[in-house]
Amino acid sequence: MLKKLAIGAAALAMLGAAQVSTAQAEDTIFIPSLTYRTGPFSGGGTPFANGFADYMNMLNARDGGIGGAKIVLEECETAYNAQKGVECYEATKGKGALVYNPLSTGITLQLIPKAPVDEIPVLSMGYGLSAAAVGEKFPWTFTYPTSYWSQMTSILKYIDDNGGLSGKKIGFIYLDLGYGREPIPLLEQLAPQMGFELAMFPVAGKEMQNQSSHWLNVRKENPDWMIMWGWGAMNPTAIKEAAKIRFPLDRFIGNWWSGAHADLNPVGEAGKGYLAANFSGIGTDFPALQDVIKHVIEPGNTQTDPGDVGNVLYNRGLFNAVIVAEAVRAAQAATGKVAVTGADMRVGLETFNLSEERLAELGLAGFTAPIQGSCADHEGQGSIFIQQWNGSDWERVSDLITPMTDVVGPMLQAAADQYVSDKPDWQTQTCG
Amino acid sequence: MGLLFDIFINPFVEMASGLDFLLQVLWEGFVSGTLYALIALGFVLIFKASGVFNFAQGIMVVFAALTLVGLHALGIPAFLALILAVAIMALLAVTVERVVLRHLVNQPDIILFMVTIGLTYFLIGFGELVFGGDPKSMITEELGLPTGSTVFDVFDGIVILQHLDVAAAVISAIMVAGLAVFFNKTRIGRALRAVADDHQAALSVGISLNQIWAIVWFAAGIVALTTGIMWGAKSDVSFALQIVALKALPVLILGGFTSIPGAIVGGLIIGMGEKLFEVYWGGLLGGGVEGWFAYVIALIFLLFRPQGLFGEKIIERV
């Protein structure tokens, strides 16, 4: 009996070894996906993670991966907790991780110093540390397609184009965390320059669903416009409270994390008129989205509810995957390798070109503004557009709005200099 | 001098010059206060019966609300879904008593407290498995709760009363009063107090500890469901809602962990006090002060009444 068991075990071990060698023979690229499908912010984290995973799975199903390399995607649950995010990073970096998409400013801030040490770039797409846009000071961190500061200037331009900014009072309600506080230095600098008065309304994390005091203060201050840097349950609560005090919702603009279907579906008709920034297309009328439906959603190889495909955060997660995939292609082209490394990926992120022609080739014409990877500029200075809630869905109501690069550029440079000033060993680079 | 003026004079000038707004602030504080009292009541019930701070009360709010919304999403009519949600909270109470509490009679309080932490994480995981992590809309209109608002012209200004807030205040008041009568004037209420005083003594006079525990957990479940409906209608129904339960802590410190009237009065003092401070003094400190100011109010009261406003004064003689 023991002899039979030993033979069986040996046979299994040989079979296992054969399978491992087969897997190793195939070129693969390993992309960790830090997700939060649980916890208080899972309402936003889940559709984003689904969009990211579905696009990668579509590339595997339709094209056999990227440039001949099969994508191995591994999700690690962070629950939007910075400590868990770092644990996920440490647990996956040794598997050949190409790039980290932390999906949290808190986690991003933790990973920025680790990236040059482990030579794995961080792509905090539209979030994280705005100063990381300065590529010479942050060779390993990217914020494509734009940064929080750039986004804020685009929002201010929208307000300026719709009634003027000078002499107005702008209210800023924000989640009182690193993420929410990120644009405050910019606002404080721009207020006197552009001639507007600033009123700030911080919302503590545990008060997200208890904002009546904050909106009483808004009523007292009586701002002309409100701008929101919210996330999760803070968003629908704020919009309901704004409607409650009869603040005109067409003068209330959320940033791109405060304008998802998950935010407005609980509000419904009461949120009609509310505005939000966005940089990724809405809906499924894009060939790339149709390919995702055909190759991933319809066969059932997904965690996505079919009704969520095309929603704001789903499409943003998908767009994140598009940038990663394009950077992988650029890295493969630059190095001649199929199975690229994290260091190669950094080169890819500085050289990819998501032009209008390339977007059309990818089946994403009109989905977003073109982005050109660059050594010096790690944010891409991307444009945003404004969308409006019609009571049941989002509608795009503006053209692309470019950021005030002349204003933001020097501030980003100063913030980047400040960041590295007390870090004598910080790795920088010189861009030609 | 300017600072003293901003602290001691200016806020009162603001109040006097905007009486309509002051009324609005007090109304919002009153509504919040009744809801805080309701949340605190869930803690008080279980603390009275077992001497344990029920860490799971927050997640029970989420679980109850998600159950209601989830059942309705399956096509079950709202009122039937409500009845089924009540039944599920009863089932949860019996399960907690049978599976967990029954085996821990007369164990140290800290053991029972740790059990409620375990129960919290179990319900988070179980809830996410069953309902998913997406935020959901409360079925406000389907339950017949009023929406819309009425505007009153007073003191040369306006006061806006949301119908939902009025309903929340009325329902909370009825719930609190009903539970107060039930636990103070009925046989079960007396049994509850006996259990709270001493498990073994209560058992020796024929009180069924298991039955009492199941009843209070069920009552706490009903309170959680009501809180979930009201707060879910003001915001959304998501796992973030469990954080709202933290608002009960300063109320409990102020009102006492064992007093139903304490939960009511404490809730109102905290609700109105934090709103007044946030609106009229918060700007001096950069805003966003109500979260910690609630604890300041509670601590000020504790300086004079360490057992809380209505808590039982414990005198131990050697």
Side-chain angles (χ1 to χ4, degrees):
Chain A
M1 182 64 187
L2 277 174
K3 192 178 174 185
K4 280 182 182 174
L5 279 174
I7 292 169
L12 277 173
M14 286 170 68
L15 186 63
Q19 282 176 337
V20 168
S21 63
T22 306
Q24 284 170 345
E26 187 181 33
D27 280 317
T28 59
I29 48 174
F30 177 69
I31 300 176
S33 177
L34 272 52
T35 61
Y36 42 98
R37 295 178 181 277
T38 63
F41 298 99
S42 59
T46 301
F48 192 99
N50 286 340
F52 189 86
D54 287 353
Y55 187 77
M56 292 298 183
N57 289 333
M58 184 275 284
L59 291 180
N60 273 343
R62 188 190 67 184
D63 306 335
I66 305 171
K70 196 90 173 170
I71 305 160
V72 178
L73 188 73
E74 183 175 313
E75 289 196 1
C76 187
E77 176 66 27
T78 70
Y80 200 68
N81 177 304
Q83 186 186 335
K84 283 187 186 172
V86 173
E87 287 171 12
C88 282
Y89 175 86
E90 296 296 340
T92 52
K93 71 177 185 184
K95 297 179 181 178
L98 280 195
V99 59
Y100 279 92
N101 304 273
L103 196 52
S104 147
T105 293
I107 299 172
T108 303
L109 296 176
Q110 298 287 322
L111 299 194
I112 285 174
K114 294 176 182 290
V117 177
D118 296 321
E119 298 199 332
I120 306 170
V122 172
L123 171 57
S124 52
M125 190 189 77
Y127 55 88
L129 185 71
S130 296
V134 181
E136 292 195 326
K137 293 290 187 319
F138 292 89
W140 292 89
T141 308
F142 300 82
T143 68
Y144 300 128
T146 178
S147 66
Y148 282 138
W149 287 5
S150 292
Q151 173 187 206
M152 179 60 90
T153 62
S154 296
I155 290 173
L156 293 174
K157 273 172 88 172
Y158 177 83
I159 294 173
D160 206 21
D161 291 343
N162 287 272
L165 201 52
S166 181
K168 298 282 169 55
K169 185 185 270 192
I170 306 296
F172 178 57
I173 187 162
Y174 60 97
L175 188 58
D176 197 9
L177 301 173
Y179 148 68
R181 296 185 206 116
E182 180 66 17
I184 290 174
L186 178 94
L187 282 170
E188 287 176 336
Q189 181 160 327
L190 286 184
Q193 283 179 19
M194 300 182 77
F196 64 86
E197 189 184 345
L198 185 62
M200 290 198 277
F201 307 97
V203 178
K206 64 184 170 64
E207 302 292 343
M208 284 194 305
Q209 291 176 291
N210 186 29
Q211 292 180 40
S212 60
S213 299
H214 306 82
W215 288 90
L216 283 168
N217 273 329
V218 171
R219 180 175 158 185
K220 185 175 137 190
E221 293 286 341
N222 194 24
D224 298 286
W225 288 80
M226 285 293 292
I227 299 173
M228 174 159 68
W229 245 241
W231 187 223
M234 174 178 163
N235 295 333
T237 312
I239 299 161
K240 284 185 179 181
E241 290 288 344
K244 188 171 142 182
I245 66 160
R246 306 194 168 192
F247 189 86
L249 292 184
D250 59 356
R251 287 175 172 263
F252 185 14
I253 307 183
N255 74 349
W256 54 54
W257 299 122
S258 305
H261 286 84
D263 299 321
L264 269 294
N265 283 337
V267 184
E269 191 68 21
K272 195 172 178 178
Y274 171 74
L275 302 161
N278 195 355
F279 57 70
S280 46
I282 312 165
T284 58
D285 291 337
F286 301 94
L289 266 292
Q290 291 303 317
D291 280 352
V292 169
I293 292 169
K294 179 182 168 190
H295 293 284
V296 180
I297 306 294
E298 287 177 352
N301 299 325
T302 180
Q303 297 187 61
T304 309
D305 180 338
D308 284 344
V309 180
N311 280 355
V312 170
L313 287 177
Y314 180 90
N315 280 9
R316 194 163 305 149
L318 181 142
F319 181 39
N320 196 158
V322 169
I323 295 176
V324 169
E326 285 302 288
V328 170
R329 286 192 184 97
Q332 289 171 331
T335 61
K337 292 191 279 186
V338 175
V340 290
T341 65
D344 301 331
M345 187 66 179
R346 197 190 74 76
V347 175
L349 281 163
E350 290 194 339
T351 54
F352 79 97
N353 184 9
L354 200 56
S355 62
E356 284 185 11
E357 295 74 30
R358 182 60 186 153
L359 282 167
E361 282 172 22
L362 292 171
L364 292 166
F367 186 83
T368 186
I371 314 170
Q372 168 73 66
S374 149
C375 170
D377 171 20
H378 280 196
E379 70 161 326
Q381 300 173 5
S383 302
I384 61 157
F385 63 86
I386 300 294
Q387 59 186 11
Q388 188 166 38
W389 184 251
N390 67 11
S392 60
D393 205 353
W394 289 105
E395 290 173 1
R396 183 171 164 166
V397 294
S398 85
D399 293 328
L400 288 169
I401 306 169
T402 54
M404 302 177 196
T405 48
D406 54 329
V407 172
V408 178
M411 288 187 65
L412 289 173
Q413 188 66 53
D417 291 343
Q418 171 72 27
Y419 185 92
V420 303
S421 63
D422 59 350
K423 299 175 182 68
D425 297 328
W426 189 257
Q427 182 184 330
T428 59
Q429 66 177 348
T430 304
C431 299
Chain B
M1 192 65 192
L3 182 65
L4 291 175
F5 181 82
D6 286 341
I7 294 172
F8 295 109
I9 307 293
N10 202 28
F12 298 102
V13 173
E14 271 187 61
M15 288 180 200
S17 59
L19 287 172
D20 62 316
F21 185 64
L22 176 62
L23 268 182
Q24 186 79 57
V25 173
L26 290 172
W27 166 249
E28 297 289 341
F30 176 76
V31 173
S32 295
T34 54
L35 286 166
Y36 294 166
L38 193 59
I39 300 171
L41 199 61
F43 287 96
V44 167
L45 291 174
I46 289 176
F47 193 88
K48 274 175 82 75
S50 52
V52 171
F53 179 80
N54 178 22
F55 194 80
Q57 189 65 30
I59 191 63
M60 282 170 65
V61 171
V62 177
F63 190 78
L66 281 174
T67 303
L68 172 63
V69 174
L71 288 169
H72 185 257
L74 293 174
I76 298 170
F79 280 100
L80 186 55
L82 183 65
I83 293 165
L84 286 172
V86 170
I88 288 171
M89 293 317 286
L91 184 66
L92 177 70
V94 171
T95 307
V96 167
E97 188 278 314
R98 287 280 164 92
V99 177
V100 184
L101 302 177
R102 181 170 288 196
H103 308 288
L104 298 172
V105 174
N106 223 27
Q107 293 297 311
D109 291 347
I110 189 67
I111 301 289
L112 289 167
F113 176 64
M114 297 304 282
V115 162
T116 66
I117 293 176
L119 183 64
T120 301
Y121 286 100
F122 170 75
L123 286 177
I124 289 172
F126 185 65
E128 283 175 341
L129 184 72
V130 174
F131 304 110
D134 302 343
K136 295 168 179 64
S137 306
M138 179 44 69
I139 48 173
T140 313
E141 289 177 17
E142 292 86 341
L143 287 170
L145 290 169
T147 53
S149 60
T150 302
V151 178
F152 294 95
D153 294 311
V154 288
F155 300 119
D156 296 328
I158 58 166
V159 174
I160 306 169
L161 261 57
Q162 296 292 315
H163 298 167
L164 183 66
D165 286 347
V166 177
V170 170
I171 291 170
S172 300
I174 292 170
M175 282 282 298
V176 170
L179 285 166
V181 169
F182 183 70
F183 285 102
N184 282 315
K185 304 290 181 190
T186 65
R187 199 164 158 268
I188 291 173
R190 285 195 295 277
L192 170 71
R193 291 202 295 278
V195 169
D197 280 347
D198 192 312
H199 290 176
Q200 286 187 327
L203 281 167
S204 70
V205 294
I207 294 170
S208 167
L209 193 58
N210 300 331
Q211 196 181 32
I212 291 294
W213 273 354
I215 287 170
V216 290
W217 275 79
F218 175 51
I222 301 288
V223 169
L225 178 60
T226 312
T227 311
I229 291 170
M230 291 308 165
W231 223 290
K234 284 164 73 74
S235 177
D236 66 4
V237 182
S238 67
F239 282 85
L241 205 57
Q242 61 184 300
I243 303 168
V244 166
L246 293 175
K247 296 301 295 190
L249 285 176
V251 175
L252 291 167
I253 294 169
L254 175 58
F257 278 73
T258 55
S259 168
I260 289 174
I264 302 164
V265 177
L268 292 176
I269 290 174
I270 294 287
M272 295 168 97
E274 69 176 17
K275 295 283 180 285
L276 284 169
F277 189 77
E278 175 73 53
V279 171
Y280 292 103
W281 284 272
L284 294 172
L285 297 162
V289 297
E290 69 175 318
W292 57 262
F293 185 71
Y295 289 91
V296 173
I297 299 175
L299 289 172
I300 289 170
F301 273 86
L302 282 190
L303 287 176
F304 300 98
R305 282 191 63 83
Q307 69 274 32
L309 271 182
F310 297 88
E312 292 159 11
K313 192 167 188 175
I314 299 164
I315 301 169
E316 290 186 9
R317 293 188 175 84
V318 180

